[in-house]
Amino acid sequence: MSITIGVHRSNPSLYHLARLGLAERALAPLGETVAWHYYTDGTNTARLLAEGVIDLGGTGSTPPLTGQAQGHDIVYVAVSAPRPEHGALLVAADGPVRTVADLAGGTVVFGVGSWQTHLLAKALHDAGLSYADIVARRPADDPTPPAERLAAGEIAGWVAQEAELAAARRAGGVRVLVETGSVISDRSVFFTRRDLAHQRPEVVAALVGALQRADDWVAAHLDEAAAHAAAELGGEAADWHTALAGLPWRLESVPDTFVAEQQEAADIFVAAGYLDRPISVADALVPALTPLVDAALAAAAPAGAR
């Protein structure tokens, strides 16, 4: 049997897992081979799982919620540690937006459907507003870079992440209105289909262990990882180094705090009309996976950390 792993540009853990051959090594003792499916939009991950195109995928916090609301029977497998420095909501340094409430009626550029939707919806909710109170635009909707649009007063805000955030901070002219870590934990999330979680849980756990080993490699080879990211995704290697150095590179089984945060996000999304029906995040859990994932992560830890 072959296990197909989804890889897209927004998930560096999966990108390096595919490069390093660690999944193949992890699954060989279980009699499994590995195939890779490369795609461009992480928001399609739940659909690709449901259609059997992939068996494991990873995104930020929003796509699994959207997938559940669309009726896809996903199962959370593991999450990263919180990533408080992963992104930020930026505004023009000398612009009129001083608080989140000032975004009402304005245009905000962000990755619609990504974890950035969670960040923005929660920040607005905490300010007494709704996701429906802003005009949402994707970066691809306009060829002008968001930083330039901010400076020109064409948009009210921009959610930036990783190398683009490091570059914007380095260039100046922007102000951080909301730090990600002050609003959400912003974990990287890995999930699978329910049939695989029930029928081959040892395979799922082995892949989590391989993901941790890939993360360990990145943490120990930031210069090389940054150079790969710049070559594949664009931007400056120095900015990628800054971005990658700010990530935790540590996985864990799904904690109750994460489930509660996801449920809060789902409820906010429903109230704002972003999700068209309520969901129960706990329905996407298979408790029997947890001890297997914990054991795989313990086995993947460097000898000095065990």
Side-chain angles (χ1 to χ4, degrees):
M1 180 177 175
S2 180
I3 300 298
T4 302
I5 303 172
V7 182
H8 60 90
R9 59 183 292 160
S10 296
N11 193 292
S13 295
L14 289 167
Y15 169 75
H16 289 289
L17 182 69
R19 286 186 54 247
L20 298 169
L22 296 169
E24 291 84 350
R25 261 178 271 169
L27 294 193
L30 300 175
E32 305 284 1
T33 59
V34 177
W36 302 94
H37 178 76
Y38 293 85
Y39 58 112
T40 58
D41 189 348
T43 63
N44 291 325
T45 301
R47 177 181 61 79
L48 293 173
L49 283 168
E51 293 174 353
V53 176
I54 64 175
D55 299 304
L56 180 82
T59 66
S61 55
T62 302
L65 299 176
T66 306
Q68 266 194 281
Q70 293 169 342
H72 301 316
D73 197 10
I74 64 167
V75 168
Y76 289 100
V77 171
V79 298
S80 75
R83 304 180 296 177
E85 301 176 22
H86 183 218
L89 173 56
L90 305 178
V91 297
D94 57 355
V97 177
R98 313 308 298 178
T99 69
V100 173
D102 294 333
L103 293 173
T107 297
V108 182
V109 174
F110 62 102
V112 178
S114 75
W115 71 269
Q116 298 181 6
T117 307
H118 182 186
L119 168 66
L120 189 57
K122 180 66 163 65
L124 290 166
H125 176 79
D126 290 349
L129 298 174
S130 165
Y131 179 80
D133 289 321
I134 55 99
V135 179
R137 290 289 183 269
R138 295 173 172 85
D141 289 343
D142 192 295
T144 305
E148 294 181 21
R149 299 186 68 196
L150 270 181
E154 297 175 5
I155 60 175
W158 167 38
V159 181
Q161 70 180 63
E162 296 175 333
E164 64 185 11
L165 175 59
R169 283 176 155 156
R170 175 170 49 81
V174 299
R175 181 170 59 84
V176 174
L177 184 66
V178 177
E179 293 275 9
T180 296
S182 69
V183 180
I184 63 174
S185 64
D186 182 29
R187 297 172 185 264
S188 187
V189 186
F190 300 93
F191 45 109
T192 187
R193 284 192 316 278
R194 188 169 300 274
D195 62 330
L196 186 61
H198 278 294
Q199 296 168 15
R200 299 300 308 273
E202 73 283 5
V203 168
V204 174
L207 287 174
V208 174
L211 276 166
Q212 183 59 69
R213 290 185 175 93
D215 279 6
D216 290 340
W217 182 90
V218 176
H221 300 83
L222 286 175
D223 287 342
E224 186 177 344
H228 275 287
E232 293 286 333
L233 306 175
E236 298 292 331
D239 292 329
W240 275 108
H241 190 286
T242 298
L244 296 177
L247 297 178
W249 303 112
R250 180 169 56 81
L251 301 181
E252 56 190 76
S253 56
V254 183
D256 292 342
T257 52
F258 169 76
V259 176
E261 183 181 48
Q262 286 291 86
Q263 188 62 58
E264 180 192 39
D267 295 343
I268 290 172
F269 284 154
V270 170
Y274 181 76
L275 296 184
D276 58 10
R277 69 180 183 90
I279 63 171
S280 170
V281 173
D283 290 344
L285 301 177
V286 172
L289 266 180
T290 300
L292 297 176
V293 167
D294 286 341
L297 290 173
R306 293 178 191 171

